[in-house]
Amino acid sequence: MRIFTAEDVRRTVPMPAAIDAVREAFRELRAGAFVLPPRQVFGDGAVLVMSAYHAPTRTAVVKKIGIDLSRDPAIRATLIWTGSEQIVADGTSITTLRTGAVVGVATDLLAPRDAARLTLIGTGAQAADQVRAVLAVRPIAETTVCGRDPDRAKRLAGSLAEEFPEVKFAVSADLPEAIATPDIVCCATSTSTPLFAAEDLPERVHVNAIGSFRPIMRELPHDLLTTASVVLVDQVEAALEESGEVIEAVDSGALPRESLVELGEALETPPQPTGRTVFKSVGVGPQDWSVANLLSQS
């Protein structure tokens, strides 16, 4: 058995490698290479169990996640990967890394090629990897960090500025102002009510949302989903089980289910986005498998 701590995961799998691995995993998911059981949910979402089996290599991954929104980090997880050997790894670091990576894949598909301005909403454990992923695929020059706690936002911006000295980082407490001009917006919060109004966004912008993971949670406004030129999801079935904003829009009839585009499909036939675009992720097992697979090869 090999054991990987959070530090081991970070040292072994840099963000660009994670993006490439997650991209390939979604291509394989589209091609039918994975057996993907439904996510198990216990205690009204307090404990989640995710798994995936990769048929071509006969390898599997299982991740147990404990979620408590009152603590920091809210997510604590352990991952087990089985193949020719067994790996036990810190699932918290893998979760933030692979969630950032899938945002990198989606941003690379949908965001303007010349995107230079990013706004990040949220300062929790997932936030930094959202920035790392976007910076890996777009020439971002300016990033604005918004959060409920100004001190946390300043600390996060300061830490990221040290990591990416070529990027200008700023902190804003005025959310409508912060989302008025960016090319890309990343939402990583646990809110149950939409963070902003669609009318506050530029006419040309890509929005990623990864924070809400229960049907009662919503980061995005209804009219953004119903007017976006592309609404991309990691998996339609998962989104309709767990994404509050997608469930509401589809159930209302304003967003036809068939208009949702799965990431694997978009990689096969890239969409031609115009105006505003959205990527909503709730996470699927092949993302975890892809990072664990890289660990197994190290």
Side-chain angles (χ1 to χ4, degrees), residues 168-194:
K168 178 183 177 182
F169 285 87
V171 173
S172 176
D174 187 337
L175 184 54
E177 180 181 64
I179 65 170
T181 59
D183 304 297
I184 301 169
V185 175
C186 287
C187 307
T189 75
S190 58
T191 183
S192 296
T193 57

Side-chain angles (χ1 to χ4, degrees), residues 2 22 232:
R2 298 170 67 193
V22 166
L232 186 67

Side-chain angles (χ1 to χ4, degrees), residues 132-209:
R132 293 182 184 115
V134 173
L135 266 58
V137 299
R138 286 296 182 270
I140 301 297
E142 301 176 13
T143 297
T144 300
V145 179
C146 299
R148 290 177 299 179
D149 185 333
D151 290 335
R152 264 184 90 155
K154 289 177 183 177
R155 287 196 298 272
L156 176 59
S159 174
L160 289 168
E162 291 182 7
E163 188 174 347
F164 300 100
E166 72 281 7
V167 179
K168 178 183 177 182
F169 285 87
V171 173
S172 176
D174 187 337
L175 184 54
E177 180 181 64
I179 65 170
T181 59
D183 304 297
I184 301 169
V185 175
C186 287
C187 307
T189 75
S190 58
T191 183
S192 296
T193 57
L195 293 164
F196 48 80
E199 63 188 25
D200 293 334
L201 293 166
E203 289 300 316
R204 179 175 181 254
V205 66
H206 172 62
V207 181
N208 297 303

